Amino acid sequence: NEFTIGEWIDVIIRAMDYNPEGFEGEKQKMWMISRLLPFVENRVNLIELAPKGTGKSYLYSQLSKYGWLISGGSISRAKLFYDLNRKKQGLFSKYDFVALDEIQTVSFSDKSELQGALKGYLESGEYRVGDYRGIGNAGLILLGNIPKEFQNEYKNVFSTLPDIFKESALLDRFHGFIKGWELPRIKEGLKAEGWSFNVEYFTEVLHRLRDDIQYRAVVDDILEIPPNADTRDIEAIKRLCTGFLKILFPNVNRVEDIERKEFEKYCLNPAMKMREIIRYQLYLMDKEYSKQIPNIKIK
């Protein structure tokens, strides 16, 4: 309650092990904070394509014990979902998020089988392997390097993804896109200095906030949704909004606790931008998709 939003953003940046003074401005800080959304909200699915050296691997592998990062190698349905031979649950049922790093170098066994399983899971959080039915709350994050010529949200950036993810119906189930090329390379001046939250404490708080439903109730109450809006777009934007609300305004219990303009600037606008990029990329791949997202307003 006692912090300005600018001060609190800097508190969050330091808790992520970075120095807020090393960023060019608030926009860069917000892109960095958007990486925390799968830490704090159930089943948030993101794609981040970035130049090398922007710290994405470090963040998803070192910050929280509740996440799992896979870097390269081979991925199977058994590893992600359920191993029938060993009767053992996969990563989606064990962690808060699963990040596939260096996505262009990852190989996938049984591609069509895995693609079908991913579609079902990313939509509903359920999966079926043989006669086993499982559930999970883990989000899926795709992390990849992107050549300079593709560092533009209006180019077909999804063309740099592996073939398994070049299907519009599967990509539609990802909630948001992080423009990693907007983030600075990690240099000495970007390392945190001074006082900050202990990282283990900070990520434990984020983990416990995942199941707090009061924030989603605030988002549902504050947004005005057009009646003809696409359901996937709305769910994606609401989920991202809720994550930003938990991180940036954890003191909010009711709609009356937050200024409408602050909610719009720090929760709704960034959420809509992240989904808008997914929607435009889908349009470039498949003209069946509109490039416009719903015109959501604050009540």
Side-chain angles (χ1 to χ4, degrees):
N1 284 323
E2 303 305 318
F3 287 86
T4 66
I5 181 61
E7 289 169 341
W8 186 250
I9 284 172
D10 287 354
V11 167
I12 299 298
I13 292 291
R14 281 197 181 91
M16 297 171 74
D17 272 351
Y18 294 112
N19 175 16
E21 301 300 320
F23 291 81
E24 289 180 7
E26 193 173 79
K27 185 180 176 183
Q28 264 194 356
K29 293 175 185 177
M30 286 296 293
W31 279 118
M32 180 62 80
I33 286 171
S34 67
R35 288 176 168 176
L36 291 177
L37 293 168
F39 290 66
V40 79
E41 183 69 7
N42 287 325
R43 288 184 26 246
V44 165
N45 309 313
L46 301 178
I47 300 172
E48 178 178 352
L49 300 177
K52 296 173 184 175
T54 54
K56 53 189 184 297
S57 304
Y58 169 79
L59 189 98
Y60 291 111
S61 65
Q62 300 299 317
L63 225 59
S64 175
K65 65 183 179 183
Y66 295 107
W68 191 263
L69 180 122
I70 300 170
S71 190
S74 178
I75 302 293
S76 65
R77 188 176 67 163
K79 188 170 185 177
L80 291 178
F81 294 102
Y82 186 77
D83 190 324
L84 281 169
N85 294 327
R86 300 165 67 189
K87 306 293 183 190
K88 190 175 179 182
Q89 286 184 328
L91 298 173
F92 282 141
S93 293
K94 294 179 181 176
Y95 291 98
D96 287 356
F97 62 83
V98 176
L100 304 184
D101 196 16
E102 305 285 352
I103 188 65
Q104 290 91 346
T105 68
V106 175
S107 61
F108 300 89
S109 56
D110 51 23
K111 284 184 186 178
S112 58
E113 212 173 46
L114 186 56
Q115 198 177 56
L118 281 171
K119 275 193 231 177
Y121 175 75
L122 297 184
E123 182 76 19
S124 66
E126 295 184 1
Y127 58 88
R128 286 175 172 80
V129 179
D131 58 356
Y132 180 83
R133 177 182 172 274
I135 57 171
N137 280 320
L140 176 63
I141 306 141
L142 305 185
L143 303 171
N145 296 324
I146 185 167
K148 193 166 183 62
E149 62 269 23
F150 281 98
Q151 293 174 21
N152 183 330
E153 66 196 85
Y154 298 108
K155 291 192 174 180
N156 187 2
V157 297
F158 285 174
S159 65
T160 66
L161 293 173
D163 288 343
I164 190 174
F165 291 108
K166 287 181 181 175
E167 190 197 8
S168 55
L170 177 55
L171 288 168
D172 195 14
R173 288 156 165 83
F174 284 87
H175 301 116
F177 184 90
I178 296 175
K179 292 198 290 181
W181 57 86
E182 296 273 357
L183 290 164
R185 277 184 65 85
I186 305 304
K187 299 177 182 176
E188 288 300 303
L190 211 59
K191 293 180 180 177
E193 296 177 351
W195 292 89
S196 71
F197 283 130
N198 173 283
V199 171
E200 285 188 18
Y201 167 77
F202 175 62
T203 53
E204 186 70 35
V205 171
L206 298 182
H207 171 71
R208 295 190 186 201
L209 281 172
R210 289 171 71 84
D211 295 322
D212 194 323
I213 61 172
Q214 70 180 9
Y215 297 95
R216 177 59 184 257
V218 170
V219 170
D220 287 339
D221 204 21
I222 204 171
L223 294 181
E224 188 175 292
I225 307 298
N228 61 343
D230 183 273
T231 300
R232 280 208 187 116
D233 285 339
I234 295 304
E235 181 57 30
I237 290 164
K238 282 188 172 185
R239 206 168 287 196
L240 298 175
C241 258
T242 305
F244 280 120
L245 187 65
K246 289 176 178 179
I247 296 165
L248 298 175
F249 302 96
N251 55 317
V252 167
N253 296 306
R254 304 165 302 151
V255 170
E256 294 77 20
D257 294 338
I258 188 168
E259 293 285 336
R260 297 293 203 277
K261 286 184 178 178
E262 286 199 335
F263 179 87
E264 186 172 28
K265 181 177 180 180
Y266 294 104
C267 300
L268 179 58
N269 288 348
M272 289 184 70
K273 182 62 182 176
M274 291 174 72
R275 178 60 185 179
E276 188 177 48
I277 297 172
I278 295 283
R279 169 60 73 170
Y280 190 79
Q281 290 298 313
L282 287 170
Y283 166 76
L284 292 180
M285 292 178 71
D286 184 348
K287 291 301 186 283
E288 183 181 322
Y289 289 87
S290 165
K291 59 184 174 182
Q292 304 295 331
I293 59 171
N295 184 25
I296 301 172
K297 296 179 181 178
I298 307 289
K299 285 181 185 173

